[in-house]
PDB file of all heavy atoms in Angstrom:
ATOM      1  N   ASP A   1     -67.481 -52.277  -7.404  1.00  0.00           N
ATOM      2  CA  ASP A   1     -68.638 -51.571  -8.055  1.00  0.00           C
ATOM      3  C   ASP A   1     -68.023 -50.484  -8.931  1.00  0.00           C
ATOM      4  O   ASP A   1     -67.644 -49.381  -8.424  1.00  0.00           O
ATOM      5  CB  ASP A   1     -69.577 -51.004  -6.973  1.00  0.00           C
ATOM      6  CG  ASP A   1     -70.822 -50.388  -7.583  1.00  0.00           C
ATOM      7  OD1 ASP A   1     -70.819 -49.989  -8.773  1.00  0.00           O
ATOM      8  OD2 ASP A   1     -71.764 -50.227  -6.847  1.00  0.00           O
ATOM      9  N   ASN A   2     -67.922 -50.750 -10.173  1.00  0.00           N
ATOM     10  CA  ASN A   2     -67.237 -49.826 -11.072  1.00  0.00           C
ATOM     11  C   ASN A   2     -68.028 -48.532 -11.237  1.00  0.00           C
ATOM     12  O   ASN A   2     -67.443 -47.471 -11.508  1.00  0.00           O
ATOM     13  CB  ASN A   2     -66.975 -50.453 -12.458  1.00  0.00           C
ATOM     14  CG  ASN A   2     -65.823 -51.453 -12.384  1.00  0.00           C
ATOM     15  OD1 ASN A   2     -64.964 -51.369 -11.493  1.00  0.00           O
ATOM     16  ND2 ASN A   2     -65.768 -52.364 -13.312  1.00  0.00           N
ATOM     17  N   ALA A   3     -69.334 -48.584 -11.126  1.00  0.00           N
ATOM     18  CA  ALA A   3     -70.135 -47.355 -11.182  1.00  0.00           C
ATOM     19  C   ALA A   3     -69.799 -46.408 -10.066  1.00  0.00           C
ATOM     20  O   ALA A   3     -69.912 -45.178 -10.231  1.00  0.00           O
ATOM     21  CB  ALA A   3     -71.603 -47.712 -11.152  1.00  0.00           C
ATOM     22  N   LYS A   4     -69.348 -46.953  -8.912  1.00  0.00           N
ATOM     23  CA  LYS A   4     -68.989 -46.151  -7.775  1.00  0.00           C
ATOM     24  C   LYS A   4     -67.499 -46.007  -7.623  1.00  0.00           C
ATOM     25  O   LYS A   4     -66.988 -45.371  -6.729  1.00  0.00           O
ATOM     26  CB  LYS A   4     -69.557 -46.732  -6.526  1.00  0.00           C
ATOM     27  CG  LYS A   4     -71.071 -46.803  -6.448  1.00  0.00           C
ATOM     28  CD  LYS A   4     -71.546 -47.405  -5.134  1.00  0.00           C
ATOM     29  CE  LYS A   4     -73.083 -47.374  -5.066  1.00  0.00           C
ATOM     30  NZ  LYS A   4     -73.612 -47.948  -3.804  1.00  0.00           N
ATOM     31  N   ASN A   5     -66.756 -46.608  -8.570  1.00  0.00           N
ATOM     32  CA  ASN A   5     -65.264 -46.541  -8.538  1.00  0.00           C
ATOM     33  C   ASN A   5     -64.770 -47.007  -7.177  1.00  0.00           C
ATOM     34  O   ASN A   5     -63.845 -46.444  -6.574  1.00  0.00           O
ATOM     35  CB  ASN A   5     -64.784 -45.133  -8.844  1.00  0.00           C
ATOM     36  CG  ASN A   5     -63.535 -45.115  -9.732  1.00  0.00           C
ATOM     37  OD1 ASN A   5     -63.247 -46.099 -10.387  1.00  0.00           O
ATOM     38  ND2 ASN A   5     -62.900 -43.971  -9.766  1.00  0.00           N
ATOM     39  N   THR A   6     -65.366 -48.103  -6.677  1.00  0.00           N
ATOM     40  CA  THR A   6     -65.098 -48.602  -5.326  1.00  0.00           C
ATOM     41  C   THR A   6     -64.823 -50.093  -5.342  1.00  0.00           C
ATOM     42  O   THR A   6     -65.474 -50.844  -6.093  1.00  0.00           O
ATOM     43  CB  THR A   6     -66.281 -48.309  -4.415  1.00  0.00           C
ATOM     44  OG1 THR A   6     -66.474 -46.857  -4.371  1.00  0.00           O
ATOM     45  CG2 THR A   6     -66.024 -48.751  -2.988  1.00  0.00           C
ATOM     46  N   VAL A   7     -63.888 -50.504  -4.493  1.00  0.00           N
ATOM     47  CA  VAL A   7     -63.624 -51.915  -4.304  1.00  0.00           C
ATOM     48  C   VAL A   7     -63.812 -52.231  -2.801  1.00  0.00           C
ATOM     49  O   VAL A   7     -63.559 -51.385  -1.959  1.00  0.00           O
ATOM     50  CB  VAL A   7     -62.185 -52.282  -4.804  1.00  0.00           C
ATOM     51  CG1 VAL A   7     -61.121 -51.573  -3.969  1.00  0.00           C
ATOM     52  CG2 VAL A   7     -61.954 -53.807  -4.779  1.00  0.00           C
ATOM     53  N   TYR A   8     -64.247 -53.486  -2.585  1.00  0.00           N
ATOM     54  CA  TYR A   8     -64.590 -53.869  -1.207  1.00  0.00           C
ATOM     55  C   TYR A   8     -63.831 -55.083  -0.787  1.00  0.00           C
ATOM     56  O   TYR A   8     -63.400 -55.915  -1.652  1.00  0.00           O
ATOM     57  CB  TYR A   8     -66.074 -54.173  -1.108  1.00  0.00           C
ATOM     58  CG  TYR A   8     -66.994 -53.056  -1.575  1.00  0.00           C
ATOM     59  CD1 TYR A   8     -67.530 -53.021  -2.877  1.00  0.00           C
ATOM     60  CD2 TYR A   8     -67.322 -52.047  -0.693  1.00  0.00           C
ATOM     61  CE1 TYR A   8     -68.336 -51.973  -3.243  1.00  0.00           C
ATOM     62  CE2 TYR A   8     -68.140 -50.998  -1.087  1.00  0.00           C
ATOM     63  CZ  TYR A   8     -68.629 -51.018  -2.379  1.00  0.00           C
ATOM     64  OH  TYR A   8     -69.460 -49.941  -2.798  1.00  0.00           O
ATOM     65  N   LEU A   9     -63.675 -55.288   0.495  1.00  0.00           N
ATOM     66  CA  LEU A   9     -63.118 -56.509   1.052  1.00  0.00           C
ATOM     67  C   LEU A   9     -63.999 -56.913   2.262  1.00  0.00           C
ATOM     68  O   LEU A   9     -63.985 -56.274   3.274  1.00  0.00           O
ATOM     69  CB  LEU A   9     -61.670 -56.316   1.540  1.00  0.00           C
ATOM     70  CG  LEU A   9     -60.996 -57.596   1.934  1.00  0.00           C
ATOM     71  CD1 LEU A   9     -60.785 -58.557   0.759  1.00  0.00           C
ATOM     72  CD2 LEU A   9     -59.619 -57.294   2.646  1.00  0.00           C
ATOM     73  N   GLN A  10     -64.735 -57.968   2.021  1.00  0.00           N
ATOM     74  CA  GLN A  10     -65.586 -58.536   3.111  1.00  0.00           C
ATOM     75  C   GLN A  10     -64.714 -59.522   3.866  1.00  0.00           C
ATOM     76  O   GLN A  10     -64.205 -60.478   3.292  1.00  0.00           O
ATOM     77  CB  GLN A  10     -66.812 -59.211   2.561  1.00  0.00           C
ATOM     78  CG  GLN A  10     -67.664 -59.888   3.608  1.00  0.00           C
ATOM     79  CD  GLN A  10     -68.350 -58.912   4.577  1.00  0.00           C
ATOM     80  OE1 GLN A  10     -68.854 -57.881   4.136  1.00  0.00           O
ATOM     81  NE2 GLN A  10     -68.322 -59.225   5.846  1.00  0.00           N
ATOM     82  N   MET A  11     -64.567 -59.296   5.161  1.00  0.00           N
ATOM     83  CA  MET A  11     -63.687 -60.189   5.965  1.00  0.00           C
ATOM     84  C   MET A  11     -64.549 -60.830   7.037  1.00  0.00           C
ATOM     85  O   MET A  11     -65.093 -60.141   7.914  1.00  0.00           O
ATOM     86  CB  MET A  11     -62.602 -59.328   6.609  1.00  0.00           C
ATOM     87  CG  MET A  11     -61.774 -58.532   5.587  1.00  0.00           C
ATOM     88  SD  MET A  11     -60.366 -57.672   6.324  1.00  0.00           S
ATOM     89  CE  MET A  11     -61.181 -56.608   7.508  1.00  0.00           C
ATOM     90  N   ASN A  12     -64.592 -62.163   6.976  1.00  0.00           N
ATOM     91  CA  ASN A  12     -65.391 -62.945   7.962  1.00  0.00           C
ATOM     92  C   ASN A  12     -64.439 -63.833   8.736  1.00  0.00           C
ATOM     93  O   ASN A  12     -63.280 -64.068   8.342  1.00  0.00           O
ATOM     94  CB  ASN A  12     -66.421 -63.805   7.234  1.00  0.00           C
ATOM     95  CG  ASN A  12     -67.461 -62.945   6.459  1.00  0.00           C
ATOM     96  OD1 ASN A  12     -67.806 -61.840   6.846  1.00  0.00           O
ATOM     97  ND2 ASN A  12     -67.880 -63.473   5.323  1.00  0.00           N
ATOM     98  N   SER A  13     -64.943 -64.370   9.844  1.00  0.00           N
ATOM     99  CA  SER A  13     -64.154 -65.287  10.692  1.00  0.00           C
ATOM    100  C   SER A  13     -62.771 -64.710  10.974  1.00  0.00           C
ATOM    101  O   SER A  13     -61.767 -65.433  10.816  1.00  0.00           O
ATOM    102  CB  SER A  13     -64.055 -66.655   9.994  1.00  0.00           C
ATOM    103  OG  SER A  13     -65.327 -67.187   9.744  1.00  0.00           O
ATOM    104  N   LEU A  14     -62.742 -63.489  11.343  1.00  0.00           N
ATOM    105  CA  LEU A  14     -61.467 -62.848  11.560  1.00  0.00           C
ATOM    106  C   LEU A  14     -60.664 -63.495  12.704  1.00  0.00           C
ATOM    107  O   LEU A  14     -61.241 -63.962  13.694  1.00  0.00           O
ATOM    108  CB  LEU A  14     -61.707 -61.335  11.878  1.00  0.00           C
ATOM    109  CG  LEU A  14     -61.991 -60.498  10.578  1.00  0.00           C
ATOM    110  CD1 LEU A  14     -62.664 -59.161  10.935  1.00  0.00           C
ATOM    111  CD2 LEU A  14     -60.685 -60.282   9.833  1.00  0.00           C
ATOM    112  N   LYS A  15     -59.341 -63.445  12.535  1.00  0.00           N
ATOM    113  CA  LYS A  15     -58.432 -64.029  13.483  1.00  0.00           C
ATOM    114  C   LYS A  15     -57.441 -62.954  13.987  1.00  0.00           C
ATOM    115  O   LYS A  15     -57.223 -61.980  13.288  1.00  0.00           O
ATOM    116  CB  LYS A  15     -57.585 -65.138  12.826  1.00  0.00           C
ATOM    117  CG  LYS A  15     -58.490 -66.247  12.200  1.00  0.00           C
ATOM    118  CD  LYS A  15     -57.558 -67.218  11.445  1.00  0.00           C
ATOM    119  CE  LYS A  15     -58.380 -68.311  10.817  1.00  0.00           C
ATOM    120  NZ  LYS A  15     -57.504 -69.288  10.099  1.00  0.00           N
ATOM    121  N   PRO A  16     -56.898 -63.128  15.162  1.00  0.00           N
ATOM    122  CA  PRO A  16     -55.929 -62.107  15.646  1.00  0.00           C
ATOM    123  C   PRO A  16     -54.773 -61.876  14.643  1.00  0.00           C
ATOM    124  O   PRO A  16     -54.274 -60.728  14.502  1.00  0.00           O
ATOM    125  CB  PRO A  16     -55.398 -62.729  16.941  1.00  0.00           C
ATOM    126  CG  PRO A  16     -56.566 -63.516  17.450  1.00  0.00           C
ATOM    127  CD  PRO A  16     -57.218 -64.089  16.192  1.00  0.00           C
ATOM    128  N   GLU A  17     -54.363 -62.888  13.902  1.00  0.00           N
ATOM    129  CA  GLU A  17     -53.317 -62.756  12.952  1.00  0.00           C
ATOM    130  C   GLU A  17     -53.704 -61.933  11.732  1.00  0.00           C
ATOM    131  O   GLU A  17     -52.857 -61.628  10.882  1.00  0.00           O
ATOM    132  CB  GLU A  17     -52.763 -64.108  12.505  1.00  0.00           C
ATOM    133  CG  GLU A  17     -53.807 -65.094  12.055  1.00  0.00           C
ATOM    134  CD  GLU A  17     -54.189 -66.069  13.158  1.00  0.00           C
ATOM    135  OE1 GLU A  17     -54.435 -65.619  14.272  1.00  0.00           O
ATOM    136  OE2 GLU A  17     -54.315 -67.271  12.852  1.00  0.00           O
ATOM    137  N   ASP A  18     -54.972 -61.576  11.610  1.00  0.00           N
ATOM    138  CA  ASP A  18     -55.421 -60.644  10.552  1.00  0.00           C
ATOM    139  C   ASP A  18     -55.164 -59.208  10.922  1.00  0.00           C
ATOM    140  O   ASP A  18     -55.391 -58.329  10.059  1.00  0.00           O
ATOM    141  CB  ASP A  18     -56.897 -60.848  10.227  1.00  0.00           C
ATOM    142  CG  ASP A  18     -57.172 -62.243   9.637  1.00  0.00           C
ATOM    143  OD1 ASP A  18     -56.431 -62.685   8.797  1.00  0.00           O
ATOM    144  OD2 ASP A  18     -58.225 -62.810  10.068  1.00  0.00           O
ATOM    145  N   THR A  19     -54.757 -58.906  12.101  1.00  0.00           N
ATOM    146  CA  THR A  19     -54.538 -57.544  12.582  1.00  0.00           C
ATOM    147  C   THR A  19     -53.404 -56.955  11.710  1.00  0.00           C
ATOM    148  O   THR A  19     -52.322 -57.474  11.583  1.00  0.00           O
ATOM    149  CB  THR A  19     -54.135 -57.568  14.033  1.00  0.00           C
ATOM    150  OG1 THR A  19     -55.211 -58.009  14.851  1.00  0.00           O
ATOM    151  CG2 THR A  19     -53.687 -56.159  14.501  1.00  0.00           C
ATOM    152  N   ALA A  20     -53.715 -55.790  11.112  1.00  0.00           N
ATOM    153  CA  ALA A  20     -52.810 -55.106  10.266  1.00  0.00           C
ATOM    154  C   ALA A  20     -53.423 -53.825   9.734  1.00  0.00           C
ATOM    155  O   ALA A  20     -54.625 -53.584   9.979  1.00  0.00           O
ATOM    156  CB  ALA A  20     -52.388 -56.000   9.026  1.00  0.00           C
ATOM    157  N   VAL A  21     -52.594 -53.000   9.092  1.00  0.00           N
ATOM    158  CA  VAL A  21     -53.150 -51.929   8.287  1.00  0.00           C
ATOM    159  C   VAL A  21     -53.435 -52.463   6.898  1.00  0.00           C
ATOM    160  O   VAL A  21     -52.561 -53.088   6.311  1.00  0.00           O
ATOM    161  CB  VAL A  21     -52.158 -50.742   8.212  1.00  0.00           C
ATOM    162  CG1 VAL A  21     -52.754 -49.612   7.357  1.00  0.00           C
ATOM    163  CG2 VAL A  21     -51.883 -50.232   9.641  1.00  0.00           C
ATOM    164  N   TYR A  22     -54.643 -52.234   6.401  1.00  0.00           N
ATOM    165  CA  TYR A  22     -55.074 -52.738   5.090  1.00  0.00           C
ATOM    166  C   TYR A  22     -55.051 -51.610   4.112  1.00  0.00           C
ATOM    167  O   TYR A  22     -55.603 -50.536   4.355  1.00  0.00           O
ATOM    168  CB  TYR A  22     -56.433 -53.385   5.226  1.00  0.00           C
ATOM    169  CG  TYR A  22     -56.403 -54.745   5.859  1.00  0.00           C
ATOM    170  CD1 TYR A  22     -56.150 -54.872   7.234  1.00  0.00           C
ATOM    171  CD2 TYR A  22     -56.636 -55.920   5.094  1.00  0.00           C
ATOM    172  CE1 TYR A  22     -56.069 -56.140   7.810  1.00  0.00           C
ATOM    173  CE2 TYR A  22     -56.608 -57.148   5.697  1.00  0.00           C
ATOM    174  CZ  TYR A  22     -56.361 -57.262   7.080  1.00  0.00           C
ATOM    175  OH  TYR A  22     -56.283 -58.511   7.628  1.00  0.00           O
ATOM    176  N   TYR A  23     -54.479 -51.891   2.966  1.00  0.00           N
ATOM    177  CA  TYR A  23     -54.358 -50.916   1.866  1.00  0.00           C
ATOM    178  C   TYR A  23     -55.030 -51.459   0.593  1.00  0.00           C
ATOM    179  O   TYR A  23     -55.007 -52.657   0.345  1.00  0.00           O
ATOM    180  CB  TYR A  23     -52.933 -50.641   1.541  1.00  0.00           C
ATOM    181  CG  TYR A  23     -52.091 -50.130   2.696  1.00  0.00           C
ATOM    182  CD1 TYR A  23     -51.442 -50.961   3.582  1.00  0.00           C
ATOM    183  CD2 TYR A  23     -51.847 -48.741   2.873  1.00  0.00           C
ATOM    184  CE1 TYR A  23     -50.675 -50.561   4.606  1.00  0.00           C
ATOM    185  CE2 TYR A  23     -51.054 -48.270   3.941  1.00  0.00           C
ATOM    186  CZ  TYR A  23     -50.469 -49.162   4.785  1.00  0.00           C
ATOM    187  OH  TYR A  23     -49.708 -48.725   5.795  1.00  0.00           O
ATOM    188  N   CYS A  24     -55.597 -50.543  -0.185  1.00  0.00           N
ATOM    189  CA  CYS A  24     -56.037 -50.997  -1.505  1.00  0.00           C
ATOM    190  C   CYS A  24     -55.139 -50.372  -2.538  1.00  0.00           C
ATOM    191  O   CYS A  24     -54.533 -49.259  -2.353  1.00  0.00           O
ATOM    192  CB  CYS A  24     -57.476 -50.634  -1.765  1.00  0.00           C
ATOM    193  SG  CYS A  24     -57.824 -48.880  -2.026  1.00  0.00           S
ATOM    194  N   GLY A  25     -55.013 -51.074  -3.664  1.00  0.00           N
ATOM    195  CA  GLY A  25     -54.125 -50.583  -4.699  1.00  0.00           C
ATOM    196  C   GLY A  25     -54.694 -50.850  -6.081  1.00  0.00           C
ATOM    197  O   GLY A  25     -55.661 -51.579  -6.225  1.00  0.00           O
ATOM    198  N   VAL A  26     -54.126 -50.255  -7.105  1.00  0.00           N
ATOM    199  CA  VAL A  26     -54.544 -50.438  -8.455  1.00  0.00           C
ATOM    200  C   VAL A  26     -53.299 -50.704  -9.340  1.00  0.00           C
ATOM    201  O   VAL A  26     -52.258 -50.061  -9.151  1.00  0.00           O
ATOM    202  CB  VAL A  26     -55.361 -49.237  -8.990  1.00  0.00           C
ATOM    203  CG1 VAL A  26     -54.550 -47.934  -8.919  1.00  0.00           C
ATOM    204  CG2 VAL A  26     -55.854 -49.492 -10.425  1.00  0.00           C
ATOM    205  N   ASP A  27     -53.430 -51.606 -10.290  1.00  0.00           N
ATOM    206  CA  ASP A  27     -52.319 -51.964 -11.199  1.00  0.00           C
ATOM    207  C   ASP A  27     -52.649 -51.344 -12.568  1.00  0.00           C
ATOM    208  O   ASP A  27     -53.489 -51.881 -13.281  1.00  0.00           O
ATOM    209  CB  ASP A  27     -52.216 -53.464 -11.280  1.00  0.00           C
ATOM    210  CG  ASP A  27     -51.187 -53.966 -12.327  1.00  0.00           C
ATOM    211  OD1 ASP A  27     -50.444 -53.119 -12.812  1.00  0.00           O
ATOM    212  OD2 ASP A  27     -51.196 -55.137 -12.596  1.00  0.00           O
ATOM    213  N   LEU A  28     -51.925 -50.330 -12.919  1.00  0.00           N
ATOM    214  CA  LEU A  28     -52.213 -49.627 -14.148  1.00  0.00           C
ATOM    215  C   LEU A  28     -51.630 -50.343 -15.406  1.00  0.00           C
ATOM    216  O   LEU A  28     -51.837 -49.869 -16.506  1.00  0.00           O
ATOM    217  CB  LEU A  28     -51.722 -48.175 -14.139  1.00  0.00           C
ATOM    218  CG  LEU A  28     -52.429 -47.325 -13.065  1.00  0.00           C
ATOM    219  CD1 LEU A  28     -51.853 -45.916 -13.066  1.00  0.00           C
ATOM    220  CD2 LEU A  28     -53.912 -47.326 -13.247  1.00  0.00           C
TER     221      LEU A  28
END
């Protein structure tokens, strides 16, 4: 949502192997 300067990640059907620290980044 660029108006909010926000990016989202909807995660469904999660698995134990998805366990991690999640980071967001930007490519300038």
Side-chain angles (χ1 to χ4, degrees):
D1 184 339
N2 285 339
K4 296 181 178 179
N5 222 15
T6 300
V7 65
Y8 304 97
L9 185 69
Q10 177 67 43
M11 305 187 297
N12 299 326
S13 302
L14 282 160
K15 304 175 180 180
E17 51 263 45
D18 294 319
T19 295
V21 178
Y22 284 70
Y23 302 86
C24 72
V26 59
D27 174 11
L28 295 181

